[in-house]
């Protein structure tokens, strides 16, 4: 698996596109967790992207805006034989270490837009 380098946490370096766009892979609700257990409260949306310049590495971006610009079903229909691109507003990333000692990237954004 290809890892994102630690200094690659802004929109340009995550996607290697001047306008910060990325290929949309999936979109789904993100839930609040209390004491390690999922509640039914939706607190964000999870937008899974793939980054071609990073050997199609997948990255999930947590988006604050709860307005989902496209459903998973609509994405499947729209995708067909072409890629669907998204652009994030205020995309930021941070690096954290998981319990196994691996350094991973966490990404957040204020909103997401599907590009035609």
């Amino acid at each position: 698996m290809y890892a994102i380098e630690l200094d690659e946490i802004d929109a340009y370096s995550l996607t290697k596109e001047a306008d910060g766009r990325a290929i949309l892979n999936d979109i789904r609700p993100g839930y609040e967790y209390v004491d390690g257990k999922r509640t039914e409260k939706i607190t964000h949306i999870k937008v899974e992207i793939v980054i071609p310049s990073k050997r199609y590495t997948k990255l999930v971006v947590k988006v604050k805006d709860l307005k989902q610009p496209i459903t998973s079903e609509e994405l499947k229909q729209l995708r067909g034989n072409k890629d669907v691109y998204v652009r994030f507003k205020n995309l930021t990333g941070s690096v954290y270490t998981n319990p196994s000692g691996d350094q991973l990237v966490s990404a957040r954004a204020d909103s997401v837009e599907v590009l035609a």
Side-chain angles (χ1 to χ4, degrees):
M1 181 173 156
Y2 183 74
I4 296 173
E5 297 298 321
L6 299 181
D7 62 346
E8 298 177 349
I9 57 174
D10 63 22
Y12 171 73
S13 60
L14 278 174
T15 63
K16 288 298 184 206
E17 297 287 342
D19 60 0
R21 65 188 183 132
I23 298 172
L24 177 60
N25 193 51
D26 192 21
I27 190 164
R28 60 191 179 277
Y31 296 92
E32 176 181 56
Y33 281 77
V34 176
D35 297 325
K37 295 182 182 180
R38 189 180 103 172
T39 69
E40 291 304 310
K41 182 178 180 183
I42 297 172
T43 57
H44 57 280
I45 58 174
K46 291 183 175 185
V47 179
E48 183 179 283
I49 59 172
V50 292
I51 307 167
S53 64
K54 301 293 180 201
R55 301 181 193 160
Y56 289 85
T57 299
K58 291 181 182 179
L59 178 67
V60 175
V61 180
K62 292 181 179 180
V63 177
K64 291 180 189 177
D65 186 358
L66 296 179
K67 182 180 176 223
Q68 197 166 311
I70 190 171
T71 66
S72 291
E73 294 77 28
E74 291 169 334
L75 175 61
K76 287 176 189 174
Q77 291 175 356
L78 184 61
R79 192 166 23 207
N81 293 330
K82 64 178 185 169
D83 292 329
V84 176
Y85 286 86
V86 292
R87 182 178 313 140
F88 296 97
K89 181 177 180 186
N90 297 324
L91 176 65
T92 60
S94 60
V95 178
Y96 67 97
T97 304
N98 70 9
S100 301
D102 301 319
Q103 291 186 319
L104 304 171
V105 175
S106 171
R108 296 182 182 276
D110 289 339
S111 62
V112 61
E113 168 190 13
V114 176
L115 304 176

